Structures are given as structure tokens and as C-alpha cells.
Amino acid sequence: MRLALNIRRRPLHVLACLALGATTTLVATSPTRADGDSRAANALAQLPPPNWRHYVQGTSHREVSPVRVVSTVGDVTNPKGLLGAGTTTLHREAPKPKPAWPSGTTATASSYHDANGGNNGTPTSYEPAHAVDGDVKTFWNDANPDTYPAWLEITSPTPVKLPGITLLSNSDGVPMDFTVSTWNGTDWVTQVTVTGNTDVQRAVTFPQEVTADRVRITVTKDQPSSRGDFTRINEVWPGVVTDPARASVTLDFGKVVVGYPKIRFRGASADHPGVRLAFSETLQYLTDRSDFARSDFAGGPGTDQYAPPEKSTTWTDTKGCQSGTKVCADGLHGFRYVKISLDALDGDAPAAEPYGTVKLTDVTVESTALPGAPGTYKGWFESSDPALNQYWYNASYTNELVTDTFRPTDVEPRNADSPSLDGKLVLHDGAKRDRDPYVGDVAVSGRTDYLTHAVPEAARNVLADLADHQRADGWIPPASINNYTLPLFDYPLWWVTSGSDYVLYSGDTGYAAKYYPNLVKTLDTWYPSVTDSRGLLAKGLNGTGGYGDYAFLPRTGEVTYYNALYVQALNDAAGLARALGHPADADRWQQRAQTVAKAINTYLWDATTGAYLDSGTGAVRHGQDGNGLAIVAGVASPEQAVSALGHLAKTTAQPYGNAFMDNDTLVSDGSKRVYAFTSYPEIQARFRSGQADSAIEEIKRLYGWMTNHDPGITDWEGIGENGSLYEGAYTSMAHGWSTGVVPALSNDLLGAVPTGPGFATWAVQPHPGSVTWARGQVPTPHGPLRVTWTQGHGAVLTLAVTAPAGTSGDIAVPTGGKRVTVRVDGKVAWNGGAALAYRATNDGGHITLHGVRAGSHTVQVTDA
């Protein structure tokens, strides 16, 4: 995957990443060329017919339909009408007036939150009195999240007859476990204990009617919320309130989809019934609010609203309001589940009311994802392991969801809209959020695109736009968020490596030439300004103490991850410089890369543990990100690579992948939190260090967990303790930076990578491990590069490569530690001890054939 400069310095590591080239087949032992050719052909002929289309998840259909009804609540007739099977009717009677406390009733609480600007800048208070003020819009909010018990006490000036009480809570803080007690003049008497509540409005009936002037609600658990696990109670009514249930239907689209929901209505009653939609990627976080929506994030209702007319109509959920500033919707959503309710916001009356009758006939989504039917694939992968095949196509589907047009109406709400990106195809980071192209995400999702659908303009548009917003001191912004000002320390380096990838896969040297001055300024101005006297990047220098990184980790000083990524970026930049005719820059950057690598090994290698320190400052810990990248970038020696990977295997393995830290000294869940983003370079490192089986095993734990847990298929932003969503409902469950299994399998297991711009030169180096056979196609500007290999059938390996015209490359075949014979097209190229063709070389683990020309070839490796 990296440039020829790095390849020449570390041929084993580099060739593992290199792109596919001419078709070469490794042939088993044979005394004659004809016999060798026939044995090779026989080995390849025994492979099953191609079946990769079976694993494809995407579709060319722009309108996507739900696959099942999950549940219904209230008065719902024929819910399957929403699947296109007739008409669904939602009905709800108008609620009766609520009982009220006597005038002068007061409330106190264990604590309450300070007043603030709310979620939208409107001054908001949270005193306990809000729970008895008769206003359902205000609420009591305790002071601290996840702090129990939290209690609310209501005192009436006169005794009240109570058959029970009713709690109306906030959908961002539903009390799940609580008790209701009354005061008998001497003691508190527990009337009811409630556990597992999920109802926003919960009627609590006492065993028998009680007359009391004081009631206490004691909460010991709240429903998890993206806004924190606070107790929030909007109103407590003195009586058992049994409003007609809100009629709702929950639909399942079978997997995460992205686009504009569309509902076909057959009509509605004349009393203006409203419809509210709540979206979620998982059932766990499906509530009466979406698990993330732009209006929710900005302090809005967290749902999309519509009031259907009396006549038939088709409504497409678009951003805007139906009636002035009332009955508003967000438009585009990324989700798997949608809850459609007959309901309305109080503030939307009279344009929309929470009762009446609504008839619906169909629900679909106008998909904005990149079409992903088999015919859209320009590259593909298949192997003898069905699980690996499925993970490859799941990741491709995830990437299709984030390949979308940049639009002001649905981009990340925190000042991310940019006129220079509007209307352009980009790689967003997630389907539901942040919906902003971050260059760190592009570093992975770009490769996934190049190897699957090959629409490189999506990456180019992002890379060029960020370069156009470069700061005067050379720093490159990570994304358009906060008007291109979000301070991240590592992302300018990802801009360098992503640009190198883009040129290698696309051949667009025009981009490289145009933005070469930006590259020079980043590497020769900004990063030197944060380099210390030992030659290492040190976060904290030049005012960078408050800068974040991909996970906003509180790291300071000399960090292995930053410096290993710096080495990779310098080597990638050197390759671009040579391709553009700037040898002096290439030499300077290559020399600096070697200097930084030496400093990493001098100051950040922990010989006691046998792994690289996360940071030279603070508690001793070892990070997945730094150790993986140190190996991929060629900083680590082969012995260090084996040792570091062994340490990670012993200290970070979880059933759902490898954690990104080996202890919890940096963050409280460091040894339990898993990022596919940082797992990808570790998996690469395992392939390239002769540990293909451990790479495959890690892939199966990580991607198997995501595949087998809700929402299934798509790749998560991050995984928390016990395999949970690491940031709760806020977590993106379809995230481009988690699709590294695609390049890991195509570049490393199959073994094909570009070594020159646009695959003018390429390399093929399989890392089979326990996989019996693999085949695939890699798109190039010259035409497809096809690779097939199989183990056994009388040979160590038989390999077929077909390379497009105008290209050439190197092929490195594994020897299994044996003395082998290598034949190309039946002719001996390596006779067990010496080269007879292709300037074949032996590094102890591979025989490399140099200068393989375009066309179709077979190579066979057999015991000498």
C-alpha cells in the first residue's frame, strides 16, 4: 500500500501491501515446462466457481423497503400495510384533562442541575418545582449523572386522596427503577416498587387508596441516554392517569440504511392528527427520540414531525417545517429501525394534534448511498473462508452508506457546512453522524473505495478541500467542522498518507502536483514546529497542549503513535516527491524518517515489556495504535514486531477484538475499548510479520462481533466494554474508518498493492495463513489486476496473476521456510539456490520475482 521508497528499504513489509499486477501462477514441481503448466492449471481448475456476488449487501434500487414489523403499541390496524400489504390505520382518542395538585403544593429534591442555556441557547432551569407546575415542557433534572439514589419529594398544603400517581418523564431520562412512598405522619411507607420501566408516562397504582400530604419518588436507575444518565421528571400527577396509548408501529429495514424516509398516506381525520418519527440504528436505543438527529443535537425534539392532510398524499421527509415554524423534520437519516407514532409536539398545536386517525399504505427510504449491486463492483474478493468473504462485503456496504453528496441540509450541525464542498461527492465518516468528511476516516474508507467501487473523486474532493483550507503555518484541518478549526494533532499526517494512497490508486499526478506546496508546508513548517530536541514530535509544543487526536485522548509529550505515523507520512511523501521529480525533497524526507524512527527505538521502546510505550510521559502503557503503525511504517525490526504483537495479543484481546490500550491509565476503559480504526494497522502488521493466522483470528473476533450483533452487517465506530456501543446511543454503527478489513484482505491476504502512481508498477505478495485459496480483482486506471492463489495440490503455492497493459511489477511468493523451486509459466525462475530468471531473490521467507510484465502468468512454488 505504500510507496516504492519504503518498499526498497523494507521489502518484506512493503511487498505485503503492494497492489496486484500481472497474473502469475506458482506451479508445482515438474521436470518439464509442459508438465509444470498442466499441474498449475490443474490446481487452479479445482477451485470452485466464483460466488462472490452471493455476499454483496448493497443494491441498485433507490427506494428501499422495510423487511418486517417489529412491534405495535396502541390502536393499530393491519400494521403490515406499512410493508405494502394494504392499509395501516393508527387511531388515538383525545386525552382527558389531567388531575392537579392543590394550590400551594411544593417540591424538593436530592439535588438539581444548575440553570443553563439548554440545548439551544434558551435559558433553562431544572428546579424540582417544575414537576408540579402543570407545564409538561419544564422538568426537574438532578445535578449529577449516574448518581443514586435521586429523590423527588412533593408536599401538598392539604392531604390528598391518592389511588396512585403518574410520572411523566423526559425521553432523555426515564426512571427505570424507583419506589413511590407516602408519609403517614410518622414514617415513610413504600407503596410501590417499579423496576425495568421504559415508559415516558408511567401510571403507578397503589395497593389501596392512600390519603397523604407528602409523596417521595426515589430513583435508583435511569434509562441510558445520549445526554447522560440523569433523572428527569416533567410532571407528577396526583392520580392514575390512563391516557389512550400512543398508537405506533416500529419497522425494521433489516440493516442500516441512509436517505430520505417516504410515507404514502391514504388520508387522515379532520382534527389534524400528527405523525412523529423516531430513528435508531439499534433496537437497544430505539425510544421516542432518535438516537442522533440534527434537531436533537441542537436542542430540538429529536423526532421528525408531519401532519397528513385528509386526502391521499405522499410525504418525503425533508429538512424544514410544514407550517411556519411548526411541524418540522430533519430530512435525511441513517438508521435500521423507525418508530412511527400518531402523536404531536405540544408546540405544534393546532397544526398537529396528538390524536385522531391516520391511514398509511407504504413506508420506504429514498436511499442516498452509493449504489452497491454486484454490477457496480470494479474490484472484488473471494476466498475459501466464507466468514472473511462476508466481512469484506459488509465493509464495502458500510462504505457505500458514507459515500454521499455533501449537502447543507444533512451535514454535521456544528458549523460544518462549507460552500466549497456543497454538492460534491465525498466520503463522510458515518451514515447518521457526524456526516462530515474527516481525513482520518478517508485514510481507511478511501482504500476501501479504491478496492471496491473505485470512485476516487469522493476522496479527492475531501483531500483537495482540506488543502485549500490549510492554515498559514502549514497545519491542515481534519474536516470542515467548526469552520475548519477543530485542532487535531495527528490528522495533517493522515492527509499526507491519504493523498499518497489517492495518487497510487488513481494515478492522478495532477492532484499531487497542484497540492505539492501544501505537502511541503505541512512537513517542513508545521511538524518541525512541534518537534523536540530529541527529534520526536511532542504534543504540547507550539501551543498544541489542547489539541486532540482521532479519539480526543489526553496524551502529551512524545507519543509513539504520532511519531510512527510521521515516519509513514515522510516515506509516503518521499515517494510522491520522486514521482513528481523532486529528488532533493525525497532524500530529505527519507533521511528525516530514518532519524525519527531511530529516535522512536531509542526513547520509546520498552525493552522490559517488549513493546513501544504509548507515551514517554505519564504512566507506563502500550498502545495498539503506536505499536501497529511502528511495524507497518518499518520502524520496528522483525524481532521487535514479533515481541510487540505478542504483547498486544496477551494484554488486549477481547471477544470483540483487541483493545487500543493495554491498561486503563489513560482512559478508564482503555483496555476494553476497541476501535477497528486502530485495529487495522495491527492486523496489517500481523500479516506482514509472518502472523497471518493471528491476523485472521483478530479479524474474526472484531468483524464477527459486529456482524452478529444489532444492527448487523455494518461496521461500528467503536466497541465498548462487554461488546457494547462504546458511546451509547451516540455511537455510529456504520462508520467508514472501520472498514479496514477490505484493504487488509485485498492488499495483505490476497497480496496486491500499487507501488507506483496508478498501478504503473505494482507488487503481489500473498499472506495465505490457513486460508486454502483466494482470488480477487483490483481496479486500476489501466484495467483490472487479477490475482488467484491456492495452496496444496502438490505445491507450496500456485499463483495466477493477470496484469493490465502498460504496467509491470514484482511478485513475492512464500517459501514456508523451505528450500523451493519456483516456476513461471512452467519455466524455472529459482532452482532452490539460485536465480535463473526475473532477477529472483531470496530473503529467507520469500522468493521475489522482479520486473514481471503485463499479461497473464502462472507461478508455482514446490519443494526443491
Coordinates of all heavy atoms in Angstrom, one line a residue, residues 88-151:
T88 N -52.6 0.5 6.7 CA -52.4 0.5 8.1 C -53.2 1.7 8.7 O -53.1 2.8 8.2 CB -51.0 0.6 8.5 OG1 -50.3 -0.5 8.0 CG2 -50.8 0.7 10.0
T89 N -53.9 1.5 9.8 CA -54.6 2.6 10.4 C -54.1 2.8 11.9 O -54.1 1.8 12.6 CB -56.2 2.3 10.5 OG1 -56.6 2.1 9.2 CG2 -56.9 3.5 11.1
L90 N -53.8 4.0 12.2 CA -53.4 4.4 13.6 C -54.5 5.3 14.1 O -55.0 6.3 13.4 CB -52.1 5.2 13.6 CG -50.9 4.6 12.9 CD1 -49.7 5.5 13.0 CD2 -50.6 3.2 13.4
H91 N -55.0 5.0 15.3 CA -56.1 5.8 15.9 C -55.7 6.1 17.4 O -55.2 5.2 18.1 CB -57.4 5.0 15.8 CG -58.5 5.8 16.5 ND1 -59.1 6.9 15.9 CD2 -59.2 5.5 17.7 CE1 -60.1 7.3 16.7 NE2 -60.1 6.5 17.8
R92 N -56.1 7.2 17.8 CA -55.9 7.6 19.2 C -57.0 8.6 19.6 O -57.2 9.7 19.0 CB -54.5 8.2 19.5 CG -54.2 8.4 21.0 CD -52.9 9.1 21.1 NE -52.4 9.1 22.5 CZ -51.4 9.9 22.9 NH1 -50.8 10.8 22.0 NH2 -51.0 9.9 24.1
E93 N -57.7 8.3 20.7 CA -58.7 9.2 21.3 C -58.0 10.4 21.9 O -56.9 10.3 22.4 CB -59.6 8.5 22.3 CG -60.4 7.4 21.7 CD -61.5 7.9 20.8 OE1 -61.9 9.1 20.9 OE2 -61.9 7.1 19.9
A94 N -58.7 11.6 22.0 CA -58.1 12.7 22.7 C -58.1 12.4 24.2 O -59.0 11.9 24.7 CB -59.0 13.9 22.4
P95 N -56.9 12.8 24.8 CA -56.8 12.5 26.2 C -57.7 13.4 27.1 O -58.0 14.5 26.7 CB -55.3 12.8 26.5 CG -54.9 13.8 25.4 CD -55.7 13.4 24.2
K96 N -58.0 13.0 28.3 CA -58.8 13.7 29.2 C -57.9 14.7 30.0 O -56.7 14.5 30.1 CB -59.6 12.8 30.1 CG -60.6 11.9 29.4 CD -61.3 11.0 30.4 CE -62.2 10.0 29.6 NZ -62.9 9.1 30.6
P97 N -58.5 15.8 30.6 CA -57.7 16.7 31.4 C -57.0 15.9 32.6 O -57.6 15.0 33.2 CB -58.8 17.7 32.0 CG -59.9 17.6 31.0 CD -59.9 16.2 30.5
K98 N -55.8 16.4 32.9 CA -55.1 15.8 34.0 C -55.5 16.3 35.4 O -55.8 17.4 35.5 CB -53.6 16.0 33.8 CG -53.0 15.6 32.4 CD -53.2 14.1 32.2 CE -52.5 13.7 30.9 NZ -53.1 14.3 29.7
P99 N -55.4 15.4 36.4 CA -55.6 15.9 37.8 C -54.5 16.9 38.2 O -53.4 16.8 37.7 CB -55.6 14.6 38.6 CG -54.8 13.7 37.8 CD -55.0 14.0 36.4
A100 N -54.8 17.8 39.1 CA -53.9 18.8 39.6 C -53.7 18.7 41.1 O -54.6 18.4 41.8 CB -54.3 20.2 39.1
W101 N -52.5 19.1 41.6 CA -52.3 19.2 43.0 C -53.0 20.5 43.5 O -53.2 21.4 42.8 CB -50.8 19.3 43.3 CG -50.0 18.1 42.9 CD1 -49.3 17.8 41.8 CD2 -49.8 16.9 43.7 NE1 -48.7 16.6 41.8 CE2 -49.0 16.0 43.0 CE3 -50.3 16.5 45.0 CZ2 -48.6 14.8 43.5 CZ3 -49.9 15.3 45.5 CH2 -49.1 14.4 44.8
P102 N -53.3 20.5 44.8 CA -53.8 21.7 45.4 C -52.9 22.9 45.3 O -51.7 22.7 45.2 CB -54.0 21.3 46.9 CG -54.1 19.8 46.9 CD -53.2 19.4 45.8
S103 N -53.5 24.1 45.2 CA -52.6 25.3 45.1 C -51.7 25.4 46.3 O -52.1 25.1 47.4 CB -53.6 26.5 45.0 OG -52.8 27.7 45.0
G104 N -50.5 25.7 46.0 CA -49.5 25.8 47.1 C -48.6 24.6 47.3 O -47.8 24.5 48.2
T105 N -48.9 23.6 46.5 CA -48.0 22.4 46.5 C -46.6 22.7 46.1 O -46.4 23.5 45.2 CB -48.6 21.3 45.6 OG1 -49.9 20.9 46.1 CG2 -47.7 20.1 45.6
T106 N -45.6 22.2 46.9 CA -44.2 22.4 46.6 C -43.5 21.1 46.4 O -44.0 20.0 46.6 CB -43.6 23.2 47.8 OG1 -43.7 22.3 49.0 CG2 -44.3 24.5 48.0
A107 N -42.2 21.2 45.9 CA -41.4 20.0 45.6 C -40.0 20.4 46.0 O -39.5 21.5 45.8 CB -41.5 19.6 44.2
T108 N -39.3 19.4 46.6 CA -37.9 19.4 46.9 C -37.2 18.2 46.3 O -37.9 17.2 45.9 CB -37.6 19.5 48.4 OG1 -38.2 18.4 49.0 CG2 -38.2 20.8 49.0
A109 N -35.9 18.2 46.3 CA -35.2 17.0 45.7 C -33.9 16.8 46.3 O -33.3 17.7 46.9 CB -35.1 17.2 44.2
S110 N -33.3 15.7 46.0 CA -31.9 15.4 46.5 C -30.9 16.3 45.9 O -29.9 16.6 46.6 CB -31.6 13.9 46.1 OG -31.8 13.7 44.7
S111 N -31.1 16.8 44.7 CA -30.3 17.8 44.0 C -31.0 18.2 42.8 O -32.0 17.6 42.3 CB -28.9 17.2 43.7 OG -29.1 16.2 42.7
Y112 N -30.5 19.3 42.2 CA -31.0 19.7 40.9 C -29.9 20.5 40.2 O -29.0 21.1 40.7 CB -32.3 20.5 41.0 CG -32.2 21.9 41.7 CD1 -31.9 23.0 40.9 CD2 -32.4 22.0 43.0 CE1 -31.9 24.3 41.5 CE2 -32.4 23.2 43.7 CZ -32.1 24.4 42.9 OH -32.0 25.6 43.5
H113 N -30.0 20.3 38.9 CA -28.9 20.9 38.0 C -29.0 22.4 37.9 O -30.1 23.0 38.0 CB -29.2 20.3 36.6 CG -27.9 20.3 35.7 ND1 -27.4 21.5 35.1 CD2 -27.1 19.3 35.3 CE1 -26.4 21.2 34.4 NE2 -26.2 19.9 34.5
D114 N -27.8 23.0 37.8 CA -27.8 24.5 37.6 C -28.5 24.9 36.3 O -28.5 24.2 35.3 CB -26.3 25.0 37.6 CG -25.6 24.7 38.9 OD1 -26.3 24.7 39.9 OD2 -24.4 24.7 38.9
A115 N -29.1 26.1 36.4 CA -29.7 26.6 35.2 C -28.6 26.8 34.1 O -27.4 27.1 34.4 CB -30.4 28.0 35.5
N116 N -29.0 26.7 32.8 CA -28.0 26.9 31.7 C -28.8 27.4 30.5 O -29.9 27.7 30.6 CB -27.2 25.6 31.5 CG -28.1 24.4 31.2 OD1 -29.2 24.6 30.7 ND2 -27.6 23.2 31.5
G117 N -28.1 27.3 29.4 CA -28.7 27.7 28.1 C -29.4 26.6 27.4 O -29.8 26.8 26.2
G118 N -29.7 25.5 28.1 CA -30.4 24.4 27.5 C -29.6 23.8 26.4 O -28.3 23.9 26.3
N119 N -30.2 23.2 25.4 CA -29.5 22.6 24.3 C -29.5 23.5 23.1 O -28.9 23.2 22.0 CB -30.1 21.3 23.9 CG -29.9 20.3 25.0 OD1 -28.8 20.1 25.6 ND2 -30.9 19.5 25.4
N120 N -30.3 24.6 23.2 CA -30.4 25.5 22.0 C -30.1 27.0 22.4 O -30.5 27.9 21.6 CB -31.8 25.4 21.4 CG -32.9 25.6 22.4 OD1 -32.6 26.0 23.5 ND2 -34.1 25.5 21.9
G121 N -29.5 27.2 23.5 CA -29.2 28.6 23.9 C -30.3 29.3 24.6 O -30.2 30.4 25.1
T122 N -31.5 28.6 24.8 CA -32.6 29.2 25.6 C -32.4 29.0 27.1 O -32.2 27.9 27.5 CB -33.9 28.6 25.2 OG1 -34.1 28.8 23.8 CG2 -35.1 29.2 25.9
P123 N -32.4 30.1 27.9 CA -32.2 29.9 29.3 C -33.2 28.9 29.9 O -34.4 28.9 29.7 CB -32.4 31.3 29.9 CG -32.1 32.2 28.8 CD -32.6 31.5 27.5
T124 N -32.7 27.9 30.6 CA -33.5 26.8 31.1 C -33.1 26.5 32.6 O -31.9 26.5 32.9 CB -33.2 25.5 30.3 OG1 -33.5 25.8 28.9 CG2 -34.2 24.4 30.7
S125 N -34.1 26.3 33.4 CA -33.8 25.9 34.8 C -34.4 24.5 35.1 O -35.2 24.0 34.3 CB -34.4 26.9 35.8 OG -35.8 27.0 35.6
Y126 N -34.0 23.9 36.2 CA -34.3 22.5 36.4 C -34.7 22.2 37.9 O -34.5 21.1 38.4 CB -33.1 21.6 36.1 CG -32.5 21.9 34.7 CD1 -31.5 22.7 34.5 CD2 -33.1 21.3 33.6 CE1 -31.0 23.0 33.2 CE2 -32.7 21.5 32.3 CZ -31.6 22.4 32.1 OH -31.1 22.6 30.8
E127 N -35.3 23.2 38.5 CA -35.7 23.1 39.9 C -36.8 22.0 40.0 O -37.6 21.7 39.1 CB -36.3 24.4 40.4 CG -35.3 25.5 40.5 CD -35.2 26.3 39.3 OE1 -35.8 25.9 38.2 OE2 -34.7 27.5 39.3
P128 N -36.9 21.3 41.2 CA -37.9 20.3 41.5 C -39.3 20.8 41.3 O -40.2 20.0 41.0 CB -37.6 19.8 42.9 CG -36.7 20.8 43.5 CD -35.9 21.5 42.4
A129 N -39.5 22.1 41.5 CA -40.9 22.7 41.4 C -41.5 22.5 40.0 O -42.7 22.4 39.8 CB -40.9 24.2 41.7
H130 N -40.6 22.2 39.0 CA -41.1 22.0 37.6 C -42.0 20.7 37.5 O -42.8 20.6 36.6 CB -40.0 21.9 36.7 CG -39.3 23.3 36.4 ND1 -40.0 24.4 36.2 CD2 -38.0 23.6 36.3 CE1 -39.2 25.4 36.0 NE2 -37.9 25.0 36.0
A131 N -41.8 19.8 38.5 CA -42.5 18.6 38.4 C -44.0 18.7 38.9 O -44.8 17.8 38.7 CB -41.8 17.5 39.3
V132 N -44.3 19.9 39.4 CA -45.7 20.1 39.9 C -46.3 21.4 39.4 O -47.3 21.9 40.0 CB -45.8 20.0 41.4 CG1 -45.5 18.6 41.9 CG2 -44.9 21.0 42.1
D133 N -45.7 22.0 38.3 CA -46.1 23.3 37.9 C -47.2 23.2 36.8 O -47.6 24.2 36.3 CB -44.9 24.1 37.4 CG -44.2 23.5 36.2 OD1 -44.7 22.5 35.7 OD2 -43.2 24.1 35.7
G134 N -47.6 22.0 36.4 CA -48.6 21.9 35.4 C -48.1 22.1 34.0 O -48.9 22.0 33.0
D135 N -46.9 22.3 33.8 CA -46.3 22.6 32.4 C -45.4 21.4 32.0 O -44.4 21.1 32.6 CB -45.4 23.8 32.5 CG -44.9 24.2 31.1 OD1 -45.0 23.4 30.1 OD2 -44.3 25.3 31.0
V136 N -45.9 20.6 31.1 CA -45.2 19.4 30.7 C -43.9 19.7 29.9 O -43.1 18.7 29.7 CB -46.1 18.5 29.8 CG1 -47.3 18.0 30.6 CG2 -46.5 19.2 28.5
K137 N -43.6 20.9 29.6 CA -42.4 21.2 28.9 C -41.2 21.4 29.8 O -40.1 21.3 29.4 CB -42.6 22.5 28.0 CG -43.7 22.4 27.0 CD -43.8 23.7 26.3 CE -45.0 23.7 25.3 NZ -45.2 25.0 24.6
T138 N -41.5 21.8 31.1 CA -40.4 22.0 32.0 C -40.2 20.7 32.8 O -41.1 19.9 32.9 CB -40.8 23.1 33.0 OG1 -41.9 22.8 33.8 CG2 -41.0 24.4 32.3
F139 N -39.0 20.6 33.4 CA -38.8 19.3 34.2 C -37.7 19.5 35.2 O -36.9 20.4 35.2 CB -38.4 18.2 33.2 CG -37.2 18.5 32.4 CD1 -35.9 18.1 32.8 CD2 -37.3 19.1 31.1 CE1 -34.8 18.4 32.0 CE2 -36.2 19.3 30.3 CZ -34.9 19.0 30.7
W140 N -37.8 18.6 36.3 CA -36.7 18.6 37.3 C -35.6 17.7 36.7 O -35.9 16.6 36.1 CB -37.3 18.0 38.6 CG -36.2 17.5 39.5 CD1 -35.2 18.2 40.0 CD2 -36.0 16.1 39.9 NE1 -34.4 17.4 40.8 CE2 -34.8 16.1 40.7 CE3 -36.7 14.9 39.7 CZ2 -34.4 14.9 41.3 CZ3 -36.2 13.8 40.3 CH2 -35.0 13.8 41.1
N141 N -34.4 18.1 36.9 CA -33.2 17.4 36.5 C -32.3 17.3 37.6 O -31.9 18.3 38.2 CB -32.6 18.1 35.3 CG -31.6 17.2 34.5 OD1 -31.7 17.1 33.3 ND2 -30.6 16.7 35.1
D142 N -31.9 16.1 38.1 CA -30.9 16.0 39.2 C -29.6 16.5 38.8 O -29.3 16.7 37.6 CB -30.9 14.6 39.8 CG -30.3 13.6 38.8 OD1 -30.4 13.8 37.6 OD2 -29.8 12.5 39.3
A143 N -28.7 16.8 39.7 CA -27.5 17.5 39.5 C -26.4 16.8 38.7 O -25.7 17.3 37.9 CB -26.9 18.1 40.8
N144 N -26.3 15.5 39.0 CA -25.2 14.7 38.5 C -25.6 13.4 37.8 O -26.5 12.8 38.3 CB -24.2 14.4 39.6 CG -23.7 15.6 40.3 OD1 -23.0 16.4 39.7 ND2 -23.9 15.7 41.6
P145 N -25.0 13.1 36.7 CA -25.4 11.8 36.0 C -25.0 10.6 36.8 O -24.0 10.6 37.5 CB -24.6 11.9 34.7 CG -23.4 12.8 35.0 CD -23.9 13.8 36.0
D146 N -25.8 9.5 36.7 CA -25.4 8.2 37.2 C -25.1 8.3 38.7 O -24.2 7.6 39.2 CB -24.2 7.7 36.4 CG -24.2 6.1 36.5 OD1 -25.2 5.5 36.8 OD2 -23.0 5.6 36.4
T147 N -25.9 9.2 39.4 CA -25.7 9.3 40.9 C -27.0 8.9 41.6 O -28.0 9.5 41.3 CB -25.3 10.7 41.2 OG1 -24.1 11.1 40.5 CG2 -25.1 10.9 42.7
Y148 N -26.9 7.9 42.4 CA -28.2 7.4 43.0 C -27.9 7.1 44.5 O -26.8 6.9 45.0 CB -28.6 6.1 42.3 CG -28.8 6.2 40.8 CD1 -27.8 5.8 40.0 CD2 -29.9 6.9 40.3 CE1 -27.9 5.9 38.6 CE2 -30.0 7.1 39.0 CZ -29.1 6.6 38.1 OH -29.2 6.8 36.8
P149 N -29.0 7.1 45.3 CA -30.4 7.4 44.9 C -30.6 8.9 44.6 O -30.0 9.8 45.2 CB -31.2 7.0 46.1 CG -30.3 7.1 47.3 CD -29.0 6.8 46.8
A150 N -31.6 9.2 43.7 CA -32.0 10.5 43.4 C -33.5 10.6 43.8 O -34.3 9.7 43.4 CB -31.8 10.9 42.0
W151 N -33.9 11.6 44.7 CA -35.3 11.6 45.1 C -35.9 12.9 44.9 O -35.3 13.9 44.8 CB -35.4 11.2 46.6 CG -34.6 12.0 47.6 CD1 -33.3 11.6 48.1 CD2 -34.9 13.2 48.2 NE1 -32.9 12.6 48.9 CE2 -33.8 13.6 49.0 CE3 -36.0 14.1 48.0 CZ2 -33.8 14.8 49.7 CZ3 -36.0 15.3 48.8 CH2 -34.9 15.6 49.6

